[in-house]
Amino acid sequence: EAGVVQSPRYKIIEKKQPVAFWCNPISGHNTLYWYLQNLGQGPELLIRYENEEAVDDSQLPKDRFSAERLKGVDSTLKIQPAELGDSAVYLCASSGTSAYNEQFFGPGTRLTVL
Amino acid sequence: RKEVEQDPGPFNVPEGATVAFNCTYSNSASQSFFWYRQDCRKEPKLLMSVYSSGNEDGRFTAQLNRASQYISLLIRDSKLSDSATYLCVVAFSGGYNKLIFGAGTRLAVHP
């Protein structure tokens, strides 16, 4: 069974440019999470989806970040415009029908903003 | 103060050594506890859950002290393959496991 898929794996952009990350969760997983991980830090939750509904986006910087999961399967996280401080790894995770199921992480997208 | 605090290390130990990591958390309402492992440039993966009674999985033993808000991980007979960053994770029951990660403790096992 395939794990969580993310693309691209690496992205280098100049500041003020837009960027988008894509995630496809494990088949059948209703819950999808986007995390940000800075170097030397643990992942921090940006947004959580239950099917197509964003149920926790309290830590998403909404002035420049947006996310969608239109059909309740794959998801896109966008930054527009990107800033130097956005350089980090963006991790997607998914978990099963129980809210307390283990979260499985994808390999992440490493973003560098120049 | 960070919600989950860990010694960043690195812990440099020889193969076969026993090593222990500690973690403290600030929110007494925390309900679930985990250790995740993260290899360099890889994603975090669940190593083990931590139960109040303590639990063991092979060479790994996890302990929880709710009164002191303290979690530990003990690795016996360290292997080269144990080299990684170990993330202490605390979850709050706000209807689901909202995971709060520590910054991680880096372990390097050498021959």
Side-chain angles (χ1 to χ4, degrees), chain A residues 9-10 33 35 37 40-45 48 50 56 58-59 91 99-103 105-107 110, chain B residues 2 31-32 34 36 38 41-46 87 92-104:
Chain A
R9 292 293 311 279
Y10 304 90
Y33 312 77
Y35 288 86
Q37 185 172 23
Q41 301 298 315
E44 298 174 28
L45 181 70
R48 176 176 75 97
E50 289 289 345
D56 183 355
S58 56
Q59 297 185 88
L91 292 161
Y100 299 95
N101 279 1
E102 178 183 350
Q103 294 182 26
F105 284 81
R110 185 174 298 273
Chain B
K2 291 184 179 179
Q31 297 206 344
S32 303
F34 310 91
Y36 273 69
Q38 187 169 26
R41 294 184 169 263
K42 300 287 188 181
E43 70 272 22
K45 293 183 179 178
L46 179 64
L87 300 164
F92 301 98
S93 179
Y96 76 106
N97 266 354
K98 180 169 184 173
L99 302 184
I100 307 297
F101 286 79

